[in-house]
Amino acid sequence: MRALIHRQFGSPAHELHVEEVPDPVAGPGEVVVRMTASAIHNHDLLTVSGDYGFTPSLPARAGTEATGVVESLGEGVTNLAVGQRVAGGAFGAWSEKFVARAAGLVPVPDVLDDDTAA
């Protein structure tokens, strides 16, 4: 699977690169989401440059919010279903798939397209 990663802090235009990484696995209370759309926030770009209040360990995946489709459920997840469209936050959301806490995701109604939901 592909993910957007930075190996050092600096300009997002220079430091963000697509890399192949293993598919994520949901733990207890988590789900794997296949990302369909994502917003780009100023805090995402400032995190990559090292100028935000949060400094991830490197190398780091980028992005914090996305819309997608639930691909798998971790143990104990009962409020979501495989195939359900959701939106929410998870560090590293700029990837083909990401892991998110089930409690932090919001179901996306069919009347909203992915770009609007993101």
Side-chain angles (χ1 to χ4, degrees):
M1 144 187 120
R2 295 173 298 170
L4 204 53
I5 294 177
H6 61 106
R7 296 190 166 279
Q8 61 185 25
F9 297 106
S11 167
H14 295 107
E15 300 305 332
L16 288 172
H17 301 281
V18 175
E19 296 188 18
E20 286 290 329
V21 297
D23 281 357
V25 177
E30 298 175 333
V31 300
V32 172
V33 178
R34 178 179 43 83
M35 194 265 285
T36 57
S38 182
I40 299 173
H41 295 288
N42 62 339
H43 66 263
D44 294 320
L45 302 176
L46 289 170
T47 299
V48 174
S49 69
D51 297 315
Y52 195 62
F54 167 71
T55 307
S57 299
L58 298 176
R61 295 184 189 183
T64 55
E65 292 182 6
T67 297
V69 177
V70 174
E71 286 222 331
S72 64
L73 306 173
E75 180 183 340
V77 176
T78 59
N79 63 319
L80 299 171
V82 171
Q84 185 174 13
R85 293 175 61 230
V86 294
F91 189 73
W94 292 349
S95 58
E96 290 181 307
K97 299 175 186 178
F98 61 90
V99 172
R101 290 184 319 105
L105 296 174
V106 177
V108 174
D110 290 339
V111 297
L112 286 180
D113 61 52
D114 289 344
D115 291 339
T116 302

